[in-house]
Amino acid sequence: MRVVLFLSLFVLFLNCEDKQSKKKSTLNTKDTTTVIKQITAKKDTTGSVSPKFPVLDTKNAMEFFLVYEKENPENTVRISTDFGDIDILLFEETKFHRANFIYLTKRKYYNGTQFYRVIDNFIIQGGSGDDRKTGVKRKNIGRYLLPRDTNRGFKHDRGTISMPSSDIENPHKLASPYEFFIVQKQGGAHFLNGDYTVFGKVIKGMDVVDKIAAVKTDEADWPLKNIYIRNVVILK
């Protein structure tokens, strides 16, 4: 009889211990989840979580810029070089090209790139470079093209900023989004009209453009001494 009673008490004790263990385990799991949620919420509210940008391609770029241009209305930028500053007004009428330039400026793409093609009394062309960092930036932002937008009445006058076509197989001369050129030629370069999109103009700093255009270059029009774009900032 004592043996039976002892076994009954032992089984009852084990059941109570098991219930307490399960209860304790459940509370620990719940508490841990709550802490994780609190930490995540704190990061979100403090803004310490970096914003995510899509990797752009030919399928999503236009839809992205259609939204981006409405939410980012800035239209004036400053390009800083060792020769001085160049202030540029971006045209509202060429909205995809304006939005693209503002987007790349905010992503700090242009910082550290170069004016890599210089032809005196014609153009200075920038937005590329001979270093690995430029290629990495392009990979992170995406591989895409912009459509020509040449029916807005803008011509390749002296001081206008335009976008060259891409070296990707490109029979329709779609624009390379990372590069740009400024017309330095006296009287303009109107034979380019219709082929490339004029999307802005220099409003201050044409003397800087002239200084850059006058540097010595090699046979490929690359300056003998690299001309870096130190940074590009938005003025308004």
Side-chain angles (χ1 to χ4, degrees), residues 19 37 41 45 59 90 112 117 127-128 144 168 171 178 195 213-214 219:
K19 288 180 180 179
K37 287 182 178 180
T45 55
K59 295 181 179 178
L90 304 173
R117 184 181 180 219
S128 190
Y144 62 100
I168 302 172
Y178 294 106
D195 287 335
E219 297 80 4

Side-chain angles (χ1 to χ4, degrees), residues 120 124 158 184 186 205-215:
D120 194 16
I124 63 171
R158 172 174 161 83
Q184 186 259 344
Q186 295 290 344
M206 274 306 294
D207 58 324
V208 177
V209 175
D210 289 334
K211 290 176 184 177
I212 293 173
V215 303

Side-chain angles (χ1 to χ4, degrees), residues 85-131:
D85 296 339
I86 306 168
D87 292 353
I88 292 175
L89 173 68
L90 304 173
F91 298 145
E92 301 289 344
E93 292 86 346
T94 50
K95 60 182 180 181
F96 287 117
H97 295 74
R98 181 197 64 79
N100 175 76
F101 203 92
I102 292 296
Y103 178 67
L104 294 181
T105 297
K106 290 186 176 182
R107 293 291 303 268
K108 302 185 183 303
Y109 165 75
Y110 293 114
N111 298 359
T113 60
Q114 302 172 32
F115 280 105
Y116 65 94
R117 184 181 180 219
V118 171
I119 305 175
D120 194 16
N121 199 31
F122 182 34
I123 64 166
I124 63 171
Q125 186 163 318
S128 190
D130 55 1
D131 63 332

Side-chain angles (χ1 to χ4, degrees), residues 51-63:
K52 298 295 182 181
F53 297 99
V55 176
L56 299 178
D57 56 31
T58 54
K59 295 181 179 178
N60 66 9
M62 291 302 96
E63 182 178 356

Side-chain angles (χ1 to χ4, degrees), residues 94 147-154 156 192-198:
T94 50
R148 284 188 301 170
D149 196 357
T150 58
N151 297 318
R152 303 293 180 178
F154 302 121
H156 285 83
L192 300 176
N193 296 342
D195 287 335
Y196 308 98
T197 301
V198 175

Side-chain angles (χ1 to χ4, degrees), residues 21-38:
S21 297
K22 288 182 178 179
K23 184 177 180 182
K24 185 176 181 180
S25 176
T26 302
L27 286 173
N28 286 341
T29 303
K30 184 177 179 181
D31 290 345
T32 302
T33 303
T34 302
V35 171
I36 292 173
K37 287 182 178 180
Q38 289 174 344

